[in-house]
Amino acid sequence: MRKKIIGFLAAGLVLAAPVMAQETSQPTEPAYNCDFQPSSEVGPGKYGRMSTPVTSKFKLAIGGFVRLDYAYNSVNFGKSGSLSPGSGAIPKAGSTAGNQEQSIFTARQSRLWLKASGPTFLGAKTSALIEVDFYGDPSYANEGPEVRMRHAYATLDWPKTQVLFGQTWDTFGPMAANTIDFRQGSSFGSPNNPRVPQIRVTQSVDLSQDNALKLVLALQDPNQDDNNNTMTTGFYSNNVGSAVNVAGRIMWESKALGGGPGFWGLSLKPLTAGVFGLFGSQKATNLGVGVGDKSVDSWGAGFYTFVPILKSKDGMSRAMTMSLEGQAYMAANMSFSSATSINFVGASTDPKAARAYGFGAQLNFFPTQDLGVSAGYLRRNAYKYSDYSNVSNFQKYNTLIFANVSYDLNAAIRVAAEYEYFNTHYGNPAIGASTTTNSDAGSGSANVIRCALFYFF
């Protein structure tokens, strides 16, 4: 009998060994194997194993955020109504869209990124980043979002030099309006879009212990080609023979005033001032019998500044920090970045670049580490209205006034609310032979209330 009892105990210990080992390695979490029963989807209190290691041949980081937006628009912005219009065109008062309202929920602006840190090359640290959101084609329903590549670039970083290649923000226009609205004022004086394929070199030159120059030079895809090929005015289509765009910045940075809150308060920035610009050229074809081709330039230049008014007390905390950011520019044939509202003006046989200027300023204030407040004013204005003598309902000027507040509930969850006021004035060609003035063609304005929930990871 004793031998039988000992035998039963030994057998029980052998059968229990895997369970004991499992409980020892994971004492607080049952390990569900998705290949066997019970199915991980119906495991009690679980939805599979949500925490598993991510591996690559290089060091890999993953991040992004889940975002839910609600927008109320006092006019109808159409299928992309969760954002302000990329064209800058606000529906006119009394129009069908101007008499309609919108109320929209969307999670399409959620974002996911992967960053890899690889081996060194000639003393440089190497890394790469890929980032996507789910905005894609705005004509798709919210229930059927489409993945969209936002950034895909690699960098080689030496102590004072960086080489970047891939797709990221256009070098032109450093300022992005600090809005919850993902358009970030791009059509209203802050042309910070689009993201373009490019190769960029950034060189830092120390002037003193606290002061440096940052020089940026980039060769970029001539994205005005796609913009012009798809425009609807007809006689300016079929543009070919373009050269790459050349863009650059010269910025002075100083630690003299410490650091102030940057975009969304996600980083601290030093005192900065400098200039930026872009140049490209293309040929417009099919201008008419016997006319031939004509080269049309794309260009822009501007000034940018960032001033920490209240600096961080320790270089990390944003409590009681404030910054002032401003920008002004002049541009031609740059509707691809919303620096101008259209591409060309003039006769169909003699097109020339449409010109516009823009400016804006904004304050960003964090009274506490978790509470942020922003407000700003921006404007884009067509230059020399008489140039638009053949364009009906052209956008004379566009303005944006915004104010928002955000609060971080913890390290992951942020809540935010925003008010935006948009206004667009339109013009028509002058009546008669004179093209020095333009008649008014009405205006459109919109009040937008926006709320957002973020979960950063």
Side-chain angles (χ1 to χ4, degrees):
M1 178 64 69
R2 182 181 300 176
K3 290 181 179 180
K4 288 182 179 181
I5 293 174
I6 293 174
F8 285 136
L9 290 174
L13 288 172
V14 170
L15 293 173
V19 177
M20 294 173 63
Q22 184 184 77
E23 291 180 349
T24 301
S25 61
Q26 296 183 351
T28 61
E29 181 180 3
Y32 292 105
N33 187 328
C34 293
D35 296 328
F36 299 100
Q37 296 296 326
S39 170
S40 59
E41 284 79 11
V42 296
K46 292 179 65 66
Y47 182 81
R49 296 195 63 187
M50 301 299 283
S51 299
T52 55
V54 176
T55 60
S56 168
K57 66 178 181 179
F58 304 133
K59 183 179 179 182
L60 190 67
I62 185 172
F65 54 77
V66 174
R67 172 172 171 164
L68 176 67
D69 283 277
Y70 170 76
Y72 163 78
N73 304 323
S74 64
V75 298
N76 188 348
F77 286 158
K79 295 176 180 178
S80 300
S82 60
L83 308 176
S84 58
S87 65
I90 303 299
K92 289 184 180 181
S95 66
T96 300
N99 290 330
Q100 296 172 336
E101 300 178 352
Q102 280 184 306
S103 187
I104 300 174
F105 272 110
T106 183
R108 297 169 69 165
Q109 294 172 50
S110 300
R111 188 185 302 185
L112 178 68
W113 57 257
L114 293 170
K115 184 174 183 180
S117 298
T120 59
F121 175 74
L122 299 178
K125 296 179 180 179
T126 67
S127 63
L129 181 138
I130 293 179
E131 181 182 85
V132 299
D133 67 10
F134 304 90
Y135 199 81
D137 187 341
S139 66
Y140 285 15
N142 273 315
E143 293 78 8
E146 187 179 72
V147 174
R148 175 180 65 165
M149 184 176 77
R150 295 177 58 85
H151 302 277
Y153 62 82
T155 60
L156 287 73
D157 289 276
W158 288 270
K160 299 295 181 182
T161 306
Q162 181 192 74
V163 175
L164 177 151
F165 60 91
Q167 176 169 300
T168 189
W169 296 117
D170 193 326
T171 303
F172 186 85
M175 176 177 159
N178 195 50
T179 59
I180 303 171
D181 177 5
F182 252 23
R183 292 291 187 197
Q184 298 163 9
S186 60
S187 306
F188 298 84
S190 178
N192 51 76
N193 280 300
R195 296 166 296 278
V196 294
Q198 61 187 275
I199 181 168
R200 179 193 298 182
V201 178
T202 302
Q203 179 67 45
S204 182
V205 179
D206 290 339
L207 301 177
S208 66
Q209 183 176 352
D210 294 330
N211 298 276
L213 282 179
K214 185 166 286 186
L215 312 175
V216 181
L217 181 64
L219 299 179
Q220 302 183 166
D221 174 66
N223 40 26
Q224 64 266 27
D225 278 5
D226 178 67
N227 183 276
N228 292 334
N229 280 332
T230 57
M231 65 186 300
T232 59
T233 52
F235 48 76
Y236 297 133
S237 62
N238 300 319
N239 294 279
V240 296
S242 62
V244 297
N245 287 345
V246 179
R249 299 176 187 169
I250 302 176
M251 296 290 167
W252 167 66
E253 295 183 352
S254 175
K255 301 177 183 177
L257 300 182
F263 184 73
W264 284 3
L266 298 179
S267 63
L268 296 173
K269 294 179 59 175
L271 174 64
T272 305
V275 295
F276 57 91
L278 179 146
F279 180 81
S281 185
Q282 64 190 118
K283 287 186 177 180
T285 63
N286 296 346
L287 300 180
V289 178
V291 177
D293 301 344
K294 179 181 178 180
S295 293
V296 181
D297 294 337
S298 302
W299 57 265
F303 173 79
Y304 169 84
T305 187
F306 181 92
V307 182
I309 298 176
L310 298 176
K311 68 178 183 179
S312 172
K313 62 183 179 182
D314 56 8
M316 295 182 292
S317 172
R318 62 191 179 201
M320 286 306 296
T321 60
M322 178 184 289
S323 61
L324 172 65
E325 191 172 17
Q327 179 174 279
Y329 72 87
M330 182 78 180
N333 189 23
M334 286 182 58
S335 67
F336 60 85
S337 67
S338 299
T340 62
S341 62
I342 60 175
N343 304 296
F344 300 133
V345 294
S348 60
T349 56
D350 187 25
K352 58 183 179 180
R355 294 173 292 175
Y357 61 90
F359 56 88
Q362 59 186 359
L363 279 171
N364 195 12
F365 176 47
F366 276 81
T368 69
Q369 175 69 19
D370 298 321
L371 178 63
V373 181
S374 293
Y377 173 84
L378 301 101
R379 178 173 174 132
R380 182 183 70 186
N381 213 108
Y383 179 76
K384 200 174 181 181
Y385 294 160
S386 59
D387 284 352
Y388 294 76
S389 60
N390 67 319
V391 183
S392 297
N393 287 311
F394 73 93
Q395 297 176 31
K396 283 186 171 181
Y397 61 85
N398 319 71
T399 59
L400 165 61
I401 300 172
F402 73 89
N404 58 56
V405 60
S406 64
Y407 188 79
D408 294 339
L409 301 179
N410 60 21
I413 303 174
R414 170 174 288 192
V415 296
E418 179 171 74
Y419 170 74
E420 294 176 292
Y421 174 76
F422 298 94
N423 182 263
T424 297
H425 259 71
Y426 298 90
N428 277 332
I431 300 174
S434 173
T435 59
T436 58
T437 60
N438 292 82
S439 61
D440 189 76
S443 65
S445 61
N447 294 284
V448 176
I449 297 175
R450 194 181 309 274
C451 300
L453 288 169
F454 299 80
Y455 188 96
F456 293 92
F457 60 89

